[in-house]
Amino acid sequence: MDYRQLETILLVEDNEDHIEHTVDALYEGGLVNKIIVIKDGKSALEYMYRQGEYSDPKKSPRPCIILLDVKLPKMTGFEILKTLKNDPELKVIPIILLTTTCNKEDIERGARLGVNDYIVKPVEFDSFMHKVKGLGKYWALISNLTNN
Amino acid sequence: MSSKKKKEESLSDFLKEHKNEFLNKWQKLVEQSLSEEIKQHYQFSQTDFNELFNAYVDGEIQAKVPRINITEEKFIKQKINAGCPLSIMSVINIHFMATAREMVRSVYPDAFNTRMEYLEVLSERVLNNEIILFQHYEKYVSNLNTQLTAQTEALRQKNTNLIEFIDLATHQLQAPLWSILGFTSKLQRKYYPIIKEEGQHYLNRISVNVAEMHQLIEDMTAMLLIDPESMKKRKIFLHDILRESIKRVHSEIDNNFKVTDRLDAVAILGDPFQLRQCFFHILKNSAQYTKVEKSGSIYVHYKISDNIQLFFEDDGIGIEKEYRELVFKPLERLKEKEISGTGMGLTLARKIIIGHKGSICLEDSRYGGICVHITLPHSVIKKH
């Protein structure tokens, strides 16, 4: 049985405020998906590989999309990205990188590792809301179509 | 003692007897061969010539090779460590032989050929010393290269650490700002109607200032991270770069400026990311300064001769001549204009152009405003 739940979005973010803003942006955008928040890199991989406290597939369903912060404790977003995109089974899950700067190196590195999209947390907060809403819907839809 | 040794000894004694004359002639010949500039940089004393003379003349008879090597090594090391080029040392050696030949010829004109054997011995010593000289020089250069490689590696490591630190610091600085932006945005979206007018004003000012701070950190980071080493050059069409930059300026500035360009055929070898940033800042600057004017037009054109020149001419309010260099300095702004910005845009633009081995300056525009004039070397032009 495939425990991948279409409605689940995984947000990997350590900053409490940023979690609040991102979750708000997703819900304000009209998404009704369940959002699971993981606050460090190591736990994010444990979640994806159903290890330790995340071993129950029902409680820890595979997400249809991952929103991944670049700077995380214990393991960076790039390391998680690399691991997941090298995994034959997990690489199909779309990953969107979240970053606070539009650093060229970060963007290029993400692209090399196979990121599906990225959002630079911008100066105008409204435009972040707009992007999250748009991207969240887009990738949720793509993922849905692929699965069906 | 063999007859050959006797001849050598007599000649050796002869040269030693006439040592002062020899040294004078020799030194004079060397000085005539070296330019004034070289002589100023590398001074050879009487002692230097004296030591070398002793090494050549006495070496074979008394202590043979080891003595020559010790004296020579010491002398060569001293000179090389003082930065003396190999060619100067060779000039000294060549003139030693010339002086010896000349003196032997003048004293023994009739029996010059019979003295050739001794001159050959001397010549051999000089050649030996040339070889030692080359070996030392090679060792010296090789040591220098090793040192340079180590220093380059240390510098590269330092640079990597610095970039990592800047990257981390930027993220750490931006994170709380973004939190503040998020909460002010939330207050504005959800509670704006119930906040008193004064409170609304404070909220708006918080947003504007935090946004400026955010942009300043972005620009300063870009300024620190942009360097010629990190350039990723490829063939790019300037027209494409310009179009993308215009799009970004339009998305950031609420201003109906128009851009007319004549860049369609020009392809160059450059870093697209950096040049987009450069064009963006030039256009943004012009667009902001045309804001108060009616027309707001920017004309972009180029000229190719022995280099490539790009012109961004606007019809804005212009910049007085005395401030035209100032705008390229970091964090400098012409404040009286009350136009938003971090004061880093044109500094970044100049850094990028210099990285592409070009130059950038401000001139009068034919349309009344300012003209940003970029000159790039001909080598960047990419033929189809």
Side-chain angles (χ1 to χ4, degrees):
Chain A
M1 182 180 175
D2 183 6
Y3 288 102
R4 184 170 158 185
Q5 304 288 308
L6 295 180
E7 71 270 17
T8 305
I9 291 173
L10 179 66
L11 172 63
V12 191
E13 170 72 83
D14 63 314
N15 187 309
E16 288 288 350
D17 294 343
H18 293 203
I19 292 169
E20 190 179 329
H21 297 331
T22 310
V23 170
D24 277 0
L26 288 167
Y27 286 143
E28 281 186 34
L31 284 173
V32 289
N33 309 53
K34 183 182 173 189
I35 300 169
I36 291 172
V37 180
I38 305 265
K39 293 182 185 172
D40 72 80
K42 197 167 159 275
S43 303
L45 277 190
E46 281 172 4
Y47 179 93
M48 292 308 293
Y49 286 102
R50 294 193 178 125
Q51 292 165 346
E53 60 176 301
Y54 307 108
S55 54
D56 183 355
K58 284 177 188 166
K59 285 182 190 164
S60 310
R62 285 274 159 81
C64 68
I65 184 169
I66 302 170
L67 297 175
L68 183 63
D69 188 34
V70 170
K71 291 276 182 286
L72 289 164
K74 294 180 186 171
M75 194 181 266
T76 69
F78 291 120
E79 287 170 290
I80 297 168
L81 179 67
K82 192 178 172 185
T83 310
L84 295 182
K85 287 299 174 189
N86 279 324
D87 186 300
E89 195 193 339
L90 299 175
K91 69 178 178 187
V92 293
I93 301 172
I95 299 177
I96 299 176
L97 272 185
L98 301 171
T99 169
T100 44
T101 68
C102 51
N103 182 343
K104 175 189 167 192
E105 298 298 324
D106 277 5
I107 294 166
E108 282 178 355
R109 195 172 165 198
R112 275 200 304 276
L113 294 173
V115 75
N116 297 80
D117 224 320
Y118 68 91
I119 298 177
V120 178
K121 296 167 182 172
V123 178
E124 290 83 16
F125 197 79
D126 291 347
S127 79
F128 172 74
M129 300 279 287
H130 184 72
K131 278 184 188 170
V132 171
K133 284 174 201 171
L135 283 176
K137 274 184 186 169
Y138 172 75
W139 285 109
L141 182 66
I142 292 282
S143 178
N144 207 345
L145 288 173
T146 317
N147 262 275
N148 292 334
Chain B
M1 194 180 276
S2 71
S3 64
K4 187 185 169 193
K5 274 266 159 85
K6 273 187 179 170
K7 279 180 205 165
E8 284 174 11
E9 223 169 41
S10 67
L11 267 171
S12 169
D13 289 342
F14 161 73
L15 289 180
K16 277 193 266 184
E17 267 171 39
H18 297 82
K19 189 174 175 181
N20 286 341
E21 191 190 342
F22 187 100
L23 287 177
N24 282 340
K25 277 189 180 174
W26 181 24
Q27 203 166 345
K28 208 171 166 186
L29 274 173
V30 170
E31 278 174 6
Q32 280 168 357
S33 309
L34 302 177
S35 70
E36 282 304 317
E37 199 188 339
I38 286 177
K39 273 187 278 181
Q40 273 176 9
H41 274 92
Y42 312 104
Q43 287 177 354
F44 292 91
S45 63
Q46 285 280 354
T47 324
D48 293 334
F49 283 93
N50 193 40
E51 272 189 28
L52 213 50
F53 177 88
N54 291 341
Y56 288 145
V57 176
D58 287 344
E60 181 75 12
I61 299 159
Q62 290 176 5
K64 235 181 164 183
V65 180
R67 172 134 186 241
I68 296 177
N69 283 354
I70 291 162
T71 321
E72 269 299 87
E73 267 189 47
K74 192 179 148 205
F75 177 76
I76 289 163
K77 272 184 187 167
Q78 271 175 4
K79 287 299 155 195
I80 288 175
N81 290 339
C84 178
L86 190 60
S87 56
I88 299 174
M89 296 297 298
S90 291
V91 165
I92 292 171
N93 280 342
I94 288 164
H95 286 306
F96 173 85
M97 278 313 294
T99 313
R101 276 170 197 278
E102 197 196 313
M103 285 190 72
V104 171
R105 189 185 279 128
S106 64
V107 178
Y108 304 98
D110 303 330
F112 180 71
N113 285 342
T114 60
R115 311 297 167 200
M116 277 304 285
E117 283 173 358
Y118 177 68
L119 284 172
E120 272 168 20
V121 171
L122 275 185
S123 178
E124 209 172 292
R125 287 177 205 163
V126 172
L127 276 175
N128 272 341
N129 287 339
E130 280 284 293
I131 292 166
I132 296 168
L133 191 61
F134 269 99
Q135 285 169 344
H136 272 290
Y137 217 79
E138 260 180 11
K139 214 190 283 174
Y140 177 73
V141 171
S142 156
N143 283 345
L144 274 188
N145 276 337
T146 313
Q147 276 174 31
L148 194 68
T149 311
Q151 279 170 0
T152 310
E153 177 54 29
L155 204 64
R156 197 193 59 77
Q157 190 54 46
K158 210 171 165 184
N159 198 37
T160 308
N161 292 345
L162 192 67
I163 288 173
E164 276 174 12
F165 173 75
I166 292 168
D167 188 42
L168 192 64
T170 309
H171 278 90
Q172 300 290 23
L173 287 169
Q174 294 288 34
L177 283 183
W178 201 68
S179 294
I180 300 170
L181 275 171
F183 288 119
T184 44
S185 164
K186 209 178 271 183
L187 280 171
Q188 283 168 325
R189 285 199 317 275
K190 291 186 175 173
Y191 303 101
Y192 210 65
I194 60 166
I195 298 171
K196 284 182 183 171
E197 202 177 317
E198 201 182 3
Q200 289 178 354
H201 169 72
Y202 295 153
L203 212 51
N204 293 339
R205 293 313 301 157
I206 291 170
S207 291
V208 170
N209 279 290
V210 174
E212 263 186 27
M213 186 73 184
H214 183 102
Q215 195 54 51
L216 186 63
I217 296 168
E218 274 295 290
D219 289 350
M220 287 177 93
T221 309
M223 183 72 196
L224 290 167
L225 295 181
I226 280 178
D227 75 311
E229 296 291 313
S230 70
M231 261 204 271
K232 286 182 182 137
K233 285 186 181 178
R234 62 178 172 83
K235 183 185 173 182
I236 43 172
F237 285 95
L238 288 176
H239 181 259
D240 292 342
I241 301 286
L242 185 73
R243 206 173 44 217
E244 286 157 22
S245 311
I246 294 168
K247 218 160 124 187
R248 193 175 150 204
V249 181
H250 272 302
S251 75
E252 286 198 16
I253 294 181
D254 182 23
N255 180 9
N256 282 327
F257 71 95
K258 280 189 304 186
V259 181
T260 314
D261 82 90
R262 301 259 178 277
L263 293 177
D264 30 20
V266 193
I268 71 159
L269 198 65
D271 183 312
F273 184 85
Q274 290 192 9
L275 286 172
R276 261 198 300 274
Q277 261 190 314
C278 172
F279 284 13
F280 163 75
H281 286 294
I282 292 170
L283 291 169
K284 188 179 170 188
N285 199 61
S286 283
Q288 280 178 320
Y289 282 88
T290 57
K291 213 170 179 176
V292 289
E293 291 291 295
K294 285 175 192 169
S295 49
S297 294
I298 303 166
Y299 304 89
V300 188
H301 55 102
Y302 75 99
K303 199 162 82 182
I304 295 179
S305 50
D306 52 342
N307 51 30
I308 175 165
Q309 297 181 62
L310 297 168
F311 305 89
F312 293 74
E313 299 195 61
D314 69 44
D315 56 0
I317 51 177
I319 296 174
E320 290 93 338
K321 280 198 171 71
E322 62 260 44
Y323 297 126
R324 287 182 188 173
E325 201 43 41
L326 197 69
V327 296
F328 290 106
K329 289 194 173 158
L331 306 172
E332 286 288 354
R333 296 176 54 203
L334 304 179
K335 286 181 181 172
E336 69 275 20
K337 306 296 181 200
E338 288 182 358
I339 287 167
S340 71
T342 60
M344 293 294 288
L346 288 178
T347 316
L348 258 172
R350 176 171 271 182
K351 194 168 181 190
I352 291 166
I353 294 300
I354 288 173
H356 282 78
K357 298 189 172 23
S359 61
I360 181 171
C361 64
L362 298 186
E363 293 167 357
D364 286 329
S365 158
R366 286 177 297 175
Y367 306 99
I370 202 77
C371 169
V372 180
H373 181 179
I374 295 174
T375 308
L376 291 167
H378 197 270
S379 57
V380 302
I381 300 169
K382 190 84 185 153
K383 301 264 161 43
H384 297 291

